[in-house]
Amino acid sequence: MMADIGTVMWKEWKEILSWGGGRGKMTLLVFVGVFGIFLPFQMGRAWVESPMVLAYWAWVPLFLVTSVIADAFAGERERHTLETLLASRLPDRAILFGKVGAAVGYGVGVTWLSLLLGLVTANLIHGQGILLLYSPVVGLGIVGLSLLGAGLAASAGVLVSLRSATVRQAQQTLSIAIMVLLFVPVFGIQALPAEWKARLGEAFMALDITRLVVIAVAILAALNAGLLVAAMARFRRAQLLSE
Amino acid sequence: MSDYAICTDNLIRDFGTVRAVDHLTLQVPRGIIFGFLGPNGAGKTTTIRLLLGLLEPTEGRAEVLGFDTQTQADEIRSRSGALLEHPGLYERLSAEDNLEFYGRIWRMPSPARQARIKELLTHLGLWERRKETVGTWSRGMKQKLAIARVLLHRPSLIFLDEPTAGLDPIAAAALREDLATLATREGATVFLTTHNLAEAEKLCQEVGVIRKGQLLAVGSPSELRTRLGTPRVEIIGRGFSENVLTSLRARPEVGKVEHQENRLLIELRRAVDTAPLVSLVVAAGAQVEEVRRGNPSLEEVFLTLMEEEK
């Protein structure tokens, strides 16, 4: 099973990197350049020392993963490769987990590469002889949240991709989902009465960073598990072609 | 072990109100190239999907290589190779990577995989272009690569869904030749769907004719021609006057007479001795240079079957 998952991941990564005849690699370089060099250079020591970086690194893999996961099944269906893949000896779960794993690996890999490069940039430019490092809570939080954020995007994305006839349709659905996820909390909080907002702010400030990270990780882990179970239930080889 | 690679028993598949496969009962012996013939929408592709366990039957059952298609489809797929409606190639990847991917899927050890990829690509004349992205290739080349992918793991059973569709005649002939050579060499059972009857006649030891999901006839091409076709006689010569034609048409065994310049085409109602007919033609004043007996082509048998069903 693990070998089969690895095979699917190998193919997915090959396809991701060959996307657009090299444009994929260029986009990656730009991305790593922005998050690994430009932003740490601009933000200075805050890039390492502020707990707010947790928010950055939780969101970054989400965007990276949604850019590739839409293609997972909708792309195979659109390019007429799905039926041949389904006619192979690969078990259902190997196909599903291979695709999810490839998207998560891509998102997390690029995120962590940018993270490391950002740390090097921050130390080289703003270190002034002192080694700048993330605090253990923030460091672990970044690793956990980026992994779970990528997992969330991948398992939700694969569900959407399974249901979509085309990649464009899957991308549109995922874009709307991200917009909702991003804007509903922001505008929702804005719409609250001033008194409620103040209370919410106080409650948030009262939470320590460790507890916040643990709560976020628990919520994301539960969402991940739920979505993966839904994707497993949805992925039935004998039904994929008759729909 | 059963002598049959494929056995279906009253297999039915409905899509809503449309019955794509209708009580299909079929046996395909092991080790032959079996042609599944039918017009577009006859149910050929649906049958392949059912046999591979990619669709569930509405009713009936099927066994492929001795495995049930509903409960043991994994076993079937692990022993089969399939070229379906589309080549199913990853066009962003190179030819070599496409085969590498499927070689890994079939868990071929790396040295054996590399050797087999080289063997197949060399045989199909694609080895020199193995590093090229498949998306830039012609349809014929893609189809050849898809055939290489199907044969890669030496499957016991190969499904080919219209493998030469959309190819120019030269590419189709070359592919047919490759296919026949490779299938014979690999010793596999081949289940081939096509609506190209000349192709079926050249390649297949047995054929089945399907229309609107129903199996109309099954047998070797020569059996079908004999069983379902009308026997005929062709007489080449001179002096085929109206008198000759009238005399022939009066004979009870003669169905139809057609006169084309120096040829008479006589369709018989049944297989009979032709000597009395030749004597009749000569007696009526014609000069005979050559007499040929013949059966209709598979194409004519097929068209007859389609007409009967209408």
Side-chain angles (χ1 to χ4, degrees), chain A residues 155 220-230:
Chain A
S155 37
L220 281 174
L223 280 173
N224 261 301
L227 286 169
L228 263 182
V229 169

Side-chain angles (χ1 to χ4, degrees), chain B residues 260-277:
Chain B
Q260 296 171 351
E261 295 184 359
N262 63 340
R263 290 195 316 159
L264 272 185
L265 294 170
I266 305 164
E267 271 188 25
L268 303 171
R269 292 187 203 282
R270 59 185 185 279
V272 290
D273 184 11
T274 53
L277 293 178

Side-chain angles (χ1 to χ4, degrees), chain A residues 4 14 76 81 83 89, chain B residues 49 89-90 97 105 107:
Chain A
D4 291 336
K14 278 252 168 194
E76 297 252 13
T81 51
E83 194 177 3
R89 57 154 290 282
Chain B
R49 288 176 174 172
L89 298 167
Y90 295 98
D97 282 343
I105 286 180
R107 294 190 178 164

Side-chain angles (χ1 to χ4, degrees), chain A residues 4 7 10-11 14-15 18 71 76 79-81 83-90 237-238 242, chain B residues 13 49 54-56 77-78 84 86 88-90 92-93 97 100-102 104-107 149:
Chain A
D4 291 336
T7 297
W10 175 85
K11 191 276 287 181
K14 278 252 168 194
E15 279 211 295
S18 62
D71 200 76
E76 297 252 13
R79 293 189 292 274
H80 306 295
T81 51
E83 194 177 3
T84 303
L85 185 68
L86 296 179
S88 75
R89 57 154 290 282
L90 283 175
R237 195 184 297 240
S242 56
Chain B
R13 172 66 202 204
R49 288 176 174 172
L54 299 177
L55 286 178
E56 284 169 358
R77 284 192 291 266
S78 69
L84 303 167
H86 300 279
L89 298 167
Y90 295 98
R92 295 180 205 160
L93 303 186
D97 282 343
E100 176 72 23
F101 174 50
Y102 274 92
R104 286 174 184 226
I105 286 180
W106 300 109
R107 294 190 178 164
R149 185 199 61 218

Side-chain angles (χ1 to χ4, degrees), chain B residues 52-302:
Chain B
L52 279 166
L54 299 177
L55 286 178
E56 284 169 358
T58 309
E59 276 178 46
R61 64 186 300 272
E63 269 190 13
V64 176
L65 299 171
F67 298 104
D68 187 278
T69 57
Q70 287 182 81
T71 57
Q72 296 168 300
D74 289 346
E75 299 292 337
I76 296 168
R77 284 192 291 266
S78 69
R79 289 164 175 80
S80 309
L83 167 55
L84 303 167
E85 214 172 353
H86 300 279
L89 298 167
Y90 295 98
E91 302 215 339
R92 295 180 205 160
L93 303 186
S94 69
E96 196 173 36
D97 282 343
N98 266 281
L99 295 187
E100 176 72 23
F101 174 50
Y102 274 92
R104 286 174 184 226
I105 286 180
W106 300 109
R107 294 190 178 164
M108 297 170 74
S110 182
R113 191 166 69 223
Q114 301 309 321
R116 181 72 169 152
I117 289 172
K118 186 172 184 185
E119 179 197 346
L120 286 167
L121 289 183
T122 305
H123 181 88
L124 294 166
L126 299 172
W127 177 246
E128 299 301 322
R129 304 184 71 171
R130 67 191 182 280
K131 302 281 182 199
E132 291 175 18
T133 309
V134 171
T136 60
W137 281 11
S138 70
R139 187 173 159 75
M141 289 168 72
K142 286 179 192 171
Q143 203 73 349
K144 279 188 174 190
L145 181 61
I147 299 260
R149 185 199 61 218
V150 171
L151 297 169
L152 188 64
H153 58 294
R154 295 191 170 88
S156 318
L157 176 61
I158 298 170
F159 291 98
L160 298 171
D161 195 358
E162 309 208 359
T164 56
L167 297 184
D168 64 70
I170 297 169
L175 189 62
R176 258 196 306 273
E177 201 172 305
D178 287 333
L179 198 59
T181 314
L182 289 168
T184 313
R185 206 175 63 187
E186 308 287 338
T189 307
V190 179
F191 187 90
L192 169 95
T193 76
T194 182
H195 48 216
N196 183 335
L197 298 150
E199 179 173 281
E201 198 153 18
K202 279 180 195 162
L203 278 174
C204 304
Q205 282 95 55
E206 265 197 41
V207 296
V209 181
I210 185 174
R211 184 171 184 270
K212 291 183 180 170
Q214 294 178 327
L215 189 67
L216 304 180
V218 67
S220 71
S222 61
E223 266 172 29
L224 290 190
R225 284 199 305 265
T226 312
R227 183 154 37 107
L228 301 165
T230 322
R232 59 184 57 179
V233 181
E234 184 181 3
I235 301 176
I236 297 166
R238 287 188 297 276
F240 299 131
S241 62
E242 199 51 45
N243 184 31
V244 173
L245 302 181
T246 310
S247 307
L248 280 171
R249 283 177 185 135
R251 300 281 298 202
E253 69 269 39
V254 172
K256 192 175 159 193
V257 181
E258 208 177 306
H259 181 206
Q260 296 171 351
E261 295 184 359
N262 63 340
R263 290 195 316 159
L264 272 185
L265 294 170
I266 305 164
E267 271 188 25
L268 303 171
R269 292 187 203 282
R270 59 185 185 279
V272 290
D273 184 11
T274 53
L277 293 178
V278 178
S279 301
L280 181 78
V281 169
V282 172
Q287 291 177 308
V288 174
E289 287 175 7
E290 195 179 336
V291 178
R292 285 189 211 140
R293 294 189 64 143
N295 283 317
S297 66
L298 189 59
E299 185 168 1
E300 286 163 299
V301 171
F302 178 81

